[in-house]
Structure formats: C-alpha cells, structure tokens
C-alpha cells in the first residue's frame, strides 16, 4: 500500500506533469497540421502559449505554499519541471511574436518593447525567466549555493510581470487576467504570511 | 419565508456550496486546491478554434435580386467560414469564437426598429417594412478592426441615407445614434458588465448620409448570420469595426453628439470618430499595419481604410490626431 502511494507521488506524478506540460504544445501542433487553428492561427498560437506560460509560472509558485500548508512535500521535486515548462511556453510565445506576428521586423519589435507597456512587462517577465532556466541544473544550484535561492526569487517577479502583462493587454473583459492575478496574489501572500509567522514565533521560542 | 424572483444575474441555489461540504470545509479546501489547479489546466486544454459549430451558407435564407455596386472592391473576399467564425460581438462573449458558438439563441424574427428624435415621421417600424421600398445591393468592403486585423466581406445592404430620408430628418438632426438589442436572456455576454450595455454607436449626419454607409441585412448573398449582427447592422467601411454596430433596435437622430460604448469604456483609446488611420496609434499597439485574415505577413494599413477618395472631404480642416 505504502509503496503504491509513493509510486503515484513519485514516478506517477512525474509522468502526469510531463504529459500536462507537452499536451498543449502537442495539441497546437496537431491543430496546426490539420489547419484548424481558426481564422487567425498566429493569434491562437500567441494566446495559447501565453496562457500556458502563465499557468506554469503559477503552478511552480504554488509548490512551496502547498507543501507548507498541507505538507505535500512530494510536489517539491516537480517545481523545476513546472518552471521549465513555463520557460518553454514563453519561448514559443516570444517566437510566435518575433517570427510569425512581426516577421523579424526588428525596428517594430524594439519600438514595442520600449513603447508599449504591456510588451515591456512581458519582456521583463521573459528576462526574469531566462537566468532561472539556465541555472536550473543541479550543477548551477551547487555552484551558486545560497545565491541560487536568492536568484530564483526572480520567479515572483516573472509571475507579477506576466500578470501585469495580461492585465495591460486586455481590452475590456478583465475577468480572466484578474483570476490569474488573484491566484498569484494568494500565492505570494501565503509566503509573506509564512515569513511573518516565523518572525513572530522565533522570540517566543527563545524565551522558553 | 421569502419568495424570490429569479433574475438572470442571480446565483442558482444549486450552485451554492451545500451545508455538508461547508462543514467539512478544511477537507474541501484541500481538495479544492487540487481540483482548482486541475480544472485551470483542463479548461483551455483543447485549442478553442475547433470547437465552434460550423455554419454553412445553406443554413441561411438566400437573398435574391441583388444589385452590384460600383463601391465594391475587387479584392477577393474572405471565406464564408472566416467571416462567420471569427467575430467580435461582446454580447455573446469576448473570445472571437464565442459569437459563432452562442449567437444561435438570438431571436431575430419578429424584429422592429424604433426611429425617433429629430425626424418628421418617427415611429416603430417592422424590419420588413423598413426594407420593403429599397433594392438590396451587394457591397464588397474591406473591414479593418481596431485590433489590427482585417477582412474583405461581401455585404448585402441598403444605403443608410436612403432609409433615413424616408423619415425626413429635421434641420436640427446633427448626429445619428444607434442602439443594439439589450436582452441578456438571449445575449449571454450581457449578463456581465463588460461594457455599459446596451451597446451604443453614433455617426455625424454627413457620415451617415455618405453613400458608402449602409445598413446590412446579409452577407454572401444570404441573410446575416446571428454572429455577424443579425438581422440589421451598420457598415461604415472607413472606420474601425467597432463603429459598425450590430443587431440594431433603435436609431435616433440627435442635436448633440451621442455617447458611444467603447468611447465611454476607454476614452483615451477609442474616439468618437475612429477613422482608420495608420498615423495614429492605439495607445497600446501600432495601427500602421494589419493582418488580413488568411495572410501571413502584415500589410500596410491605408488611411480611411482605402476609402479616402470618398470620405476624406468630410474631415477637411480637422485635426485627426485629436479627433481620433
Ligand atoms: C517575451 C516577451 C513577451 C512578448 C513580446 C509577449 C507578447 C504578447 C502578445 C503580442 C500577446 C497578444 C496580445 C493581444 O492579442 O492583444 C500576448 C498575450 C499574452 N501573453 Fe505575452 N508576451 C511576452 C511575455 C509573456 C510572459 C512572460 C507571459 C507569462 C508568464 C505572457 C503571458 C501572456 C498571456 C497570458 C497572454 C494573453 C493570452 C490570452 O489572451 O489568452 N507573455 N503576449
């Protein structure tokens, strides 16, 4: 019984995370080949990859709060995979924008990055995720030690930048970006609360 | 006990968490965290485009005796499928595929339009009677959306000016105000206040009387599909698409400039005029280029969407950067 459970929480979960990670890209590819990405395929790619990137950022950021709230330590090994999927989708997202939407029109791309706040926010998110993806290996983790933990706090900034990007690009219906923002705020809020709780319990402990 | 009348916005009691679950809320919270995550991942799992029900021209009544128009472009039109599956019609939802999916609930027969304000002969008129005296024309027009995409669409319609003249506008009529049907039971998008419903649009009287401006009742030789604004919509081809209000129930001639929905929603981003203008960017994106649906590379956007010859005079001496 115990062995079964740990299989589900170990290998089983690893497979599940991987399947959920590649499925959206697979479906996009399949739909692309069948020509069923809709009337505006580039927009469909842009939106779907953006949505999934943000979802994986939030999923990665949810690991620690869930572990601390419910003791779900078995999630911890999958945080890196979730983060790398977020990076994978943001690369597709950026690739769609640069290569398909604007077709390597660098002057327009540069103008967008500096002039359009929602693109500035998105690009900031991407720039935060880049070093995280590069230093995601065990080797880098060892080499950087404590600084690795500090560096990887950039994940919060990436989440905030992604949410702000989505809020700022939305024309009228803010429901969907607000749902993401509320989830993000909850995740970050939980961390702050843990921190606060730790600080206030420490003196009590030293008294006893 | 209170007797409650259910209004469309009310929460169905069945949607409220039952007491048992509430009492077991710790456990609930735990599983909700899992389920919520799973649902979020499942929600948009399947790409949306393939889900909309496909409409075929044969599903719609044919319109006959159409007169061709010299105003038509000879560019090749977008496919019937593109025109009827990729729509901005927030009354049925904010995704492009939502109108095709949800507009079938709209009841367009019977339909009547109220024509009021600065006219000698105001009244409420049935759609058949509104159209009866006029010949239907086919007008193949470019449509440029403010979101920087465009299509070419073979509309069927009647010059708005010809219709308005029957009601004899007074000399005080300076503007024309239009209003879309407000019926949340049929238009599910109206159940949330994404815009200040009902949708409203307006034109200056000379814009309304310009021969390019039509009231459309069909496309591709068929009556308008619901997702395209059935049974009666405005087409102003030199303005961004949001000016071309759909499913019209009211036309009022006014002395003052009427409030218009997108302008009310975001005045810095959507002006009253909304003439297609590559020189004036939307605050959040460039309007210099557009993607013609079905094409890969963007193409340059033309001033007044390529209709400058017919309409540029209307704005002589006006600062179009200010009056965007
Ligand atoms: C690398 C820089 C980025 C660029 C150039 C970029 C560009 C874009 C563009 C052009 C759109 C479509 C806007 C529209 O249709 O109006 C978009 C949508 C979106 N992007 Fe980005 N983006 C970037 C980074 C990011 C990041 C880091 C995230 C999240 C972590 C993200 C998440 C999204 C989301 C959620 C959407 C909306 C999708 C929808 O409407 O369903 N983007 N982005």
């Amino acid at each position: 019984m115990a062995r079964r459970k740990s299989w589900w929480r170990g290998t089983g979960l690893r497979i599940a995370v991987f399947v959920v990670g590649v499925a959206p890209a697979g479906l996009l590819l399949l739909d692309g080949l069948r020509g069923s990405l809709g009337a505006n395929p580039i927009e469909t790619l842009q939106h779907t990859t953006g949505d999934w990137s943000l979802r994986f950022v939030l999923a990665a950021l949810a690991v620690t709060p869930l572990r601390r709230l419910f003791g779900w330590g078995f999630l911890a090994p999958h945080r890196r995979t979730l983060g790398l999927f977020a990076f994978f989708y943001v690369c597709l997202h950026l690739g769609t924008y640069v290569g398909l939407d604007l077709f390597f029109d660098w002057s327009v791309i540069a103008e967008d990055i500096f002039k359009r706040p929602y693109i500035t926010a998105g690009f900031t998110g991407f720039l935060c995720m880049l070093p995280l993806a590069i230093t995601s290996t065990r080797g880098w983790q060892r080499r950087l030690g404590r600084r690795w933990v500090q560096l990887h706090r950039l994940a919060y900034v990436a989440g905030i930048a992604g949410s702000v990007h989505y809020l700022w690009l939305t024309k009228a219906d803010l429901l969907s970006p607000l749902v993401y923002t509320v989830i993000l705020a909850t995740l970050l809020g939980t961390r702050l609360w843990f921190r606060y709780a730790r600080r206030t319990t420490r003196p009590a402990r030293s008294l006893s | 006990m209170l007797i409650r009348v259910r209004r469309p916005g009310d929460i169905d009691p069945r949607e409220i968490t039952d007491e048992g679950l509430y009492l077991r809320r710790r456990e609930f919270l735990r599983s909700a965290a899992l389920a919520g995550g799973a649902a979020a991942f499942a929600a948009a799992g399947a790409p949306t485009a393939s889900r909309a029900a496909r409409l075929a021209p044969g599903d719609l009544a044919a319109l006959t005796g159409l007169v061709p128009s010299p105003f038509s472009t000879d560019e090749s039109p977008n496919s019937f499928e593109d025109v009827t599956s990729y729509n901005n019609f927030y009354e049925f939802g904010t995704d492009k595929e939502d109108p095709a999916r949800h507009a079938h609930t709209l009841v367009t027969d019977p339909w009547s339009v109220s024509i009021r304000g600065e006219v000698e002969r105001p009244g409420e008129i049935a759609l058949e009677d509104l159209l009866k005296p006029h010949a239907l024309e086919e007008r193949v027009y470019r449509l440029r959306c403010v979101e920087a995409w465009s299509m070419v669409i073979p509309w069927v319609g009647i010059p708005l000016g010809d219709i308005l003249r029957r009601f004899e506008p007074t000399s005080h009529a300076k503007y024309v105000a239009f209003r879309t049907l407000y019926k949340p039971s049929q238009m599910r998008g109206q159940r949330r206040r994404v815009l200040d419903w009902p949708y409203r649009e307006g034109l200056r009287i000379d814009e309304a009387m310009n021969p390019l401006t039509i009231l459309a009742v069909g496309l591709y030789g068929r009556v308008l599909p619901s997702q395209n604004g059935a049974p009666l919509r405005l087409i102003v081809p030199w303005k961004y698409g949001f000016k071309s209000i759909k499913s019209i129930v009211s036309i009022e001639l006014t002395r003052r400039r009427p409030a218009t929905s997108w302008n009310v929603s975001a005045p810095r981003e959507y002006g009253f005029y909304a003439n297609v203008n590559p020189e004036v960017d939307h605050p959040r994106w460039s309007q210099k280029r557009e993607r013609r649906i079905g094409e890969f590379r963007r193409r340059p956007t033309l001033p007044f969407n390529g209709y400058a010859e017919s309409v540029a005079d209307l704005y002589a001496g006006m600062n179009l950067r200010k009056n965007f």
Side-chain angles (χ1 to χ4, degrees):
Chain A
M1 188 64 202
R3 244 183 68 222
R4 267 182 72 92
K5 201 167 171 184
S6 63
W7 186 88
W8 281 113
R9 289 182 167 191
T11 315
L13 195 56
R14 180 162 306 127
I15 295 173
V17 167
F18 188 76
V19 168
V20 173
V22 294
L27 287 175
L28 277 179
L29 186 67
L30 213 67
D31 272 359
L33 294 174
R34 285 188 308 183
S36 49
L37 286 173
N40 194 346
I42 295 176
E43 185 185 74
T44 306
L45 286 175
Q46 189 77 64
H47 288 182
T48 312
T49 52
D51 287 341
W52 284 102
S53 182
L54 190 53
R55 284 174 196 151
F56 279 108
V57 170
L58 295 186
L61 288 177
V63 168
T64 301
L66 288 176
R67 178 167 58 80
R68 310 221 12 200
L69 274 179
F70 305 123
W72 291 351
F74 61 91
L75 291 177
H78 304 288
R79 191 169 62 168
R80 177 172 66 177
T81 321
L82 293 169
L84 284 173
F85 272 123
F87 184 68
F88 170 63
Y89 282 101
V90 87
C91 288
L92 292 180
H93 189 63
L94 182 61
T96 303
Y97 178 72
V98 171
L100 299 178
D101 191 12
L102 296 182
F103 203 75
F104 307 103
D105 190 340
W106 298 111
S107 65
V108 176
I109 292 166
E111 192 184 313
D112 269 5
I113 290 175
F114 292 109
K115 209 171 128 186
R116 321 238 170 252
Y118 89 93
I119 298 283
T120 314
F123 198 68
T124 307
F126 172 75
L127 288 183
C128 291
M129 287 157 80
L130 189 64
L132 301 192
I134 293 172
T135 61
S136 67
T137 60
R138 259 184 241 296
W140 273 105
Q141 197 166 354
R142 216 172 321 107
R143 244 167 289 162
L144 292 175
R146 262 176 65 82
R147 281 188 322 200
W148 188 91
V149 179
Q150 287 167 352
L151 177 68
H152 280 244
R153 296 223 170 97
L154 274 179
Y156 311 147
V157 186
I160 294 169
S163 290
V164 168
H165 169 64
Y166 195 5
L167 281 168
W168 281 351
L169 67 86
T170 301
K171 272 172 64 195
D173 186 6
L174 288 173
L175 181 65
S176 172
L178 279 177
V179 168
Y180 286 99
T181 306
V182 166
I183 294 174
L184 178 75
T186 311
L187 295 176
L188 298 186
T190 334
R191 280 159 201 271
L192 283 180
W193 183 66
F194 286 146
R195 211 171 232 231
Y196 173 76
R198 202 170 47 202
R199 213 175 285 157
T200 51
T201 51
R202 226 181 250 148
R205 229 182 256 147
S206 64
L207 269 180
S208 63
Chain B
M1 187 170 155
L2 275 171
I3 296 174
R4 277 168 47 91
V5 179
R6 233 188 127 213
R7 274 170 295 146
D10 286 355
I11 297 172
D12 186 322
R14 280 163 302 184
E15 288 171 25
I16 299 171
T17 312
D18 76 67
E19 197 176 36
L21 251 188
Y22 177 71
L23 294 175
R24 281 181 281 124
R25 62 189 180 278
R26 274 172 171 280
E27 208 179 304
F28 175 70
L29 195 73
R30 208 179 250 258
S31 47
L34 261 187
F41 273 82
T48 45
S50 48
R51 277 196 239 134
R54 293 262 175 272
L55 182 78
D59 300 336
L60 301 160
L63 297 166
T64 50
L66 306 183
V67 183
S69 165
F71 292 116
S72 286
T73 168
D74 50 15
E75 290 167 82
S76 58
N78 282 87
S79 69
F80 179 84
E81 186 179 332
D82 283 353
V83 172
T84 58
S85 67
Y86 189 79
N87 308 99
N88 272 330
F89 196 176
Y90 278 21
E91 279 78 349
F92 296 105
T94 52
D95 282 349
K96 299 286 188 299
E97 294 82 13
D98 281 339
R101 215 179 286 146
H102 301 305
H104 60 89
T105 51
L106 179 67
V107 178
T108 56
D109 186 20
W111 193 273
S112 61
V113 180
S114 123
I115 301 193
R116 294 169 297 131
E118 295 293 340
V119 286
E120 300 294 349
R121 307 174 55 223
E124 175 101 9
I125 183 165
L127 183 65
E128 309 78 73
D129 300 326
L130 185 71
L131 306 179
K132 209 182 291 165
H134 305 276
L136 293 179
E137 293 181 36
E138 170 146 277
R139 300 260 183 129
V140 187
Y141 279 162
R142 291 176 289 276
L143 173 92
R144 170 60 156 80
C145 178
V146 73
E147 297 167 344
W149 55 267
S150 64
M151 290 197 195
V152 174
I153 303 175
W155 302 108
V156 175
I158 299 162
L160 174 63
D162 292 355
I163 291 181
L164 290 182
R165 270 186 281 274
R166 277 165 57 203
F167 297 86
E168 297 171 18
T170 72
S171 60
H172 300 298
K174 297 285 189 288
Y175 293 91
V176 188
F178 304 86
R179 196 152 45 77
T180 295
L181 177 70
Y182 177 70
K183 200 154 265 223
S185 60
Q186 295 176 20
M187 301 176 130
R188 60 189 282 159
Q190 291 174 335
R191 293 172 206 167
R192 282 201 301 125
R193 207 170 159 284
V194 175
L195 290 170
D196 185 13
W197 311 117
Y199 196 91
R200 286 161 296 158
E201 257 310 335
L203 295 173
R204 231 167 49 187
I205 190 80
D206 55 344
E207 298 175 323
M209 292 296 182
N210 186 281
L212 277 178
T213 306
I214 61 169
L215 281 180
V217 294
L219 56 82
Y220 265 105
R222 307 275 168 167
V223 296
L224 274 181
S226 297
Q227 58 262 46
N228 297 88
L232 185 73
R233 68 169 293 176
L234 183 67
I235 301 293
V236 199
W238 71 93
K239 291 178 182 283
Y240 293 122
F242 68 87
K243 292 296 289 184
S244 293
I245 182 170
K246 304 180 176 87
S247 303
I248 297 167
V249 293
S250 159
I251 300 176
E252 186 180 4
L253 286 88
T254 62
R255 293 172 182 229
R256 290 186 193 194
R257 191 158 105 179
T260 57
S261 290
W262 278 102
N263 182 243
V264 168
S265 160
R268 278 184 56 250
E269 305 193 355
Y270 311 98
F272 174 80
Y273 285 96
N275 293 319
V276 175
N277 189 343
E279 298 308 317
V280 179
D281 285 351
H282 185 281
R284 289 186 272 163
W285 56 85
S286 162
Q287 295 291 26
K288 287 194 185 66
R289 304 169 76 75
E290 67 200 49
R291 171 161 299 105
R292 175 69 52 83
I293 295 301
E295 291 179 357
F296 177 57
R297 299 286 296 272
R298 287 179 182 242
R299 52 163 75 206
T301 288
L302 303 174
F304 299 105
N305 200 21
Y307 297 98
E309 214 174 291
S310 313
V311 299
D313 300 350
L314 297 174
Y315 311 100
M318 265 176 70
N319 181 342
L320 296 180
R321 218 163 255 289
K322 252 175 149 174
N323 298 286
F324 57 93

